[in-house]
Amino acid sequence: MRRRGLRLTAAAALLLAAILAALGVGEAAGVLSNWQAFVLGIVQGFTELLPISSSGHLILVPWLGEWTYLEEHPDFNKTFDVALHLGTLIAVVAYFWDDIVALVVAWFRSVRHRRIRSAEERTAWCVFAATIPASFAGALGESAIEKRLGEPWQIGLFLAIFAVLLWLADRMPQEKRIADLTLGQALAIGAAQAVALAPGVSRSGITITMARALRFDRDAAARFSFLLLVPVVLGAVLFKGWTDVIQGTLPDGWTGPFVVGTLAAAGSGLFAIEALLGYVRRHDYSIFVLYRLAAAVFIFLLIASGIRDATF
């Protein structure tokens, strides 16, 4: 019953986003259109939660469509980025609400008793531990990576390299579940997230790859990846929301794309979570490996043929 309610909520969010886009609510001439925001929101929702790189796709889609506004207006891009991540955060929190509440309660209970007494409390501490290296990496390395990485040819290369790593890790036996996770393994998975700052790597992809390399089963790898998204993305949304939206000067025409992008990302994110968890209970991650490799080949063919430039 609850999953049916979430599916209806996801469909309603996408429908509302489409209606707002069609009516041009909050849209300004010469700025990112609501329909472009709708497309990018859907792309964010699916690619943030599937192991195929959201940051890479959010660069590639405007590159393919020759939508240059975000590239030419970094202030608007920062504001819109908050909207997209807010949408996927809403999706994960809505889907895993019971799990998140249970882990938060378990963490505070463990702190109060000053020891770890249950598998749930250990999992809560593992999420906390895995968040630390990712937070430090994001705070220290994000601006440097933005300046040096993110060109289409680099994204294609990373899509291919980390597709191979995912395929190799997914050949490992499925021996462990989330309850078996140790703090050391959580730190290793969290440290792997630092690599995902490079567009084309994929945060969910690299955490799933590391978890599978540590012999966690596919469902556990995906679930832990989704749970890790909450504190990392929440921190990013709060920090960027404060610096780029609240304290910053909001660009003209931001309202429509912000609302449409958030709704589209939340709706598509809910569908993506259910689709991935349902799929990996019966299949391996090969379909995502093949998609990444095909996308990389497509990018390099476009560049080699001169249809698109290798850089912006």
Side-chain angles (χ1 to χ4, degrees):
M1 181 65 71
R2 183 175 182 273
R3 289 189 176 181
R4 183 172 180 272
L6 288 173
R7 286 194 292 269
L8 290 173
T9 300
L14 288 172
L15 179 60
L16 179 57
I19 292 173
L20 293 175
L23 296 176
V25 176
E27 195 174 77
V31 180
L32 185 77
S33 72
N34 281 0
W35 279 118
Q36 290 172 331
F38 180 77
V39 171
L40 292 173
I42 290 177
V43 168
Q44 166 70 12
F46 278 109
T47 58
E48 176 74 43
L49 300 166
L50 300 181
I52 55 178
S53 179
S54 62
S55 58
H57 280 76
L58 289 175
I59 293 171
L60 291 173
V61 169
W63 177 67
L64 290 170
E66 296 186 296
W67 301 347
T68 60
Y69 188 83
L70 292 176
E71 179 69 20
E72 294 169 355
H73 298 80
D75 289 341
F76 192 100
N77 194 8
K78 290 178 180 179
T79 302
F80 187 60
D81 185 66
V82 172
L84 297 182
H85 283 89
L86 176 61
T88 47
L89 177 65
I90 291 170
V92 174
V93 170
Y95 195 92
F96 291 103
W97 176 254
D98 292 340
D99 302 79
I100 293 168
V101 170
L103 289 176
V104 171
V105 170
W107 188 84
F108 279 106
R109 185 171 62 240
S110 176
V111 170
R112 187 173 67 251
H113 292 126
R114 298 183 180 180
R115 58 194 175 106
I116 298 173
R117 304 188 303 174
S118 67
E120 195 170 60
E121 290 177 0
R122 185 169 64 251
T123 301
W125 275 104
C126 285
V127 173
F128 179 83
T131 303
I132 295 171
S135 300
F136 274 110
L140 299 175
E142 186 175 21
S143 60
I145 286 174
E146 284 179 355
K147 295 176 182 177
R148 293 176 174 82
L149 298 176
E151 300 292 357
W153 72 269
Q154 294 170 331
I155 295 172
L157 186 62
F158 287 139
L159 283 171
I161 291 172
F162 287 91
V164 174
L165 291 178
L166 175 59
W167 186 85
L168 291 173
D170 202 30
R171 307 279 72 76
M172 299 297 288
Q174 300 188 80
E175 299 175 346
K176 304 173 185 176
R177 302 187 65 81
I178 287 182
D180 302 315
L181 193 66
T182 66
L183 288 176
Q185 291 167 336
L187 282 170
I189 296 171
Q193 287 188 100
V195 183
L197 290 172
V201 174
S202 172
R203 191 207 59 82
S204 62
I206 197 65
T207 52
I208 288 171
T209 298
M210 180 59 77
R212 287 293 294 118
L214 294 170
R215 302 194 173 198
F216 286 88
D217 67 35
R218 296 183 180 104
D219 183 74
R223 284 180 177 274
F224 192 63
S225 174
F226 292 150
L227 290 174
L228 285 185
L229 180 145
V230 175
V232 172
V233 176
L234 176 61
V237 167
L238 291 176
F239 177 74
K240 292 183 177 180
W242 176 257
T243 57
D244 299 335
V245 178
I246 296 176
Q247 286 192 322
T249 301
L250 293 174
D252 293 336
W254 71 277
T255 310
F258 191 100
V259 174
V260 170
T262 300
L263 289 170
S268 59
L270 280 168
F271 282 125
I273 294 170
E274 184 166 20
L276 179 60
L277 292 179
Y279 183 85
V280 298
R281 291 189 186 104
R282 301 182 299 275
H283 308 282
D284 61 20
Y285 285 100
S286 295
I287 188 171
F288 304 108
V289 172
L290 293 173
Y291 172 82
R292 292 177 68 110
L293 292 174
V297 170
F298 180 65
I299 291 166
F300 288 123
L301 285 176
L302 287 179
I303 293 171
S305 65
I307 295 176
R308 290 289 185 273
D309 293 330
T311 61
F312 287 103

